[in-house]
Amino acid sequence: MDAPSGIISAIVTGLVIGVLGRLVVPGRQAIGCLMTILVGLIGAAGGLAIANAIDAAWLLTLLLQIGVAAVLVLITASATGRNQ
């Protein structure tokens, strides 16, 4: 895979996982689009690391990625103090 398509797919994955993580968390989080992508990227990587450690199937991997992103959304929203 060449670098531009890898970067684009990582950004899209981060956005999707970040949005799904925000949807799981109740209430409104005003953390912005860039922070959502960043949280999604970190959540996707963290969930993937956990899934690889326990040798999880693809569905559990996805759920772990969303779960890690949701926890990061909670932490980020409370750290910035912009929970609404």
Side-chain angles (χ1 to χ4, degrees), residues 1 6 19 26-27 30:
M1 176 184 314
V19 168

Side-chain angles (χ1 to χ4, degrees), residues 19-84:
V19 168
L20 290 173
R22 284 181 71 167
L23 288 174
V24 170
V25 177
R28 184 170 173 221
Q29 301 81 33
I31 61 172
C33 185
L34 185 60
M35 189 59 73
T36 298
I37 293 172
L38 182 62
V39 166
L41 286 171
I42 296 169
L48 184 61
I50 294 169
N52 283 339
I54 62 172
D55 196 29
W58 71 269
L59 182 59
L60 182 57
T61 301
L62 178 63
L63 294 175
L64 284 169
Q65 289 175 323
I66 294 169
V68 171
V71 169
L72 291 174
V73 165
L74 279 173
I75 292 170
T76 304
S78 65
T80 59
R82 292 174 14 178
N83 247 3
Q84 295 179 351

Side-chain angles (χ1 to χ4, degrees), residues 1-11:
M1 176 184 314
D2 58 358
S5 65
I7 292 170
I8 291 170
S9 67
I11 291 171

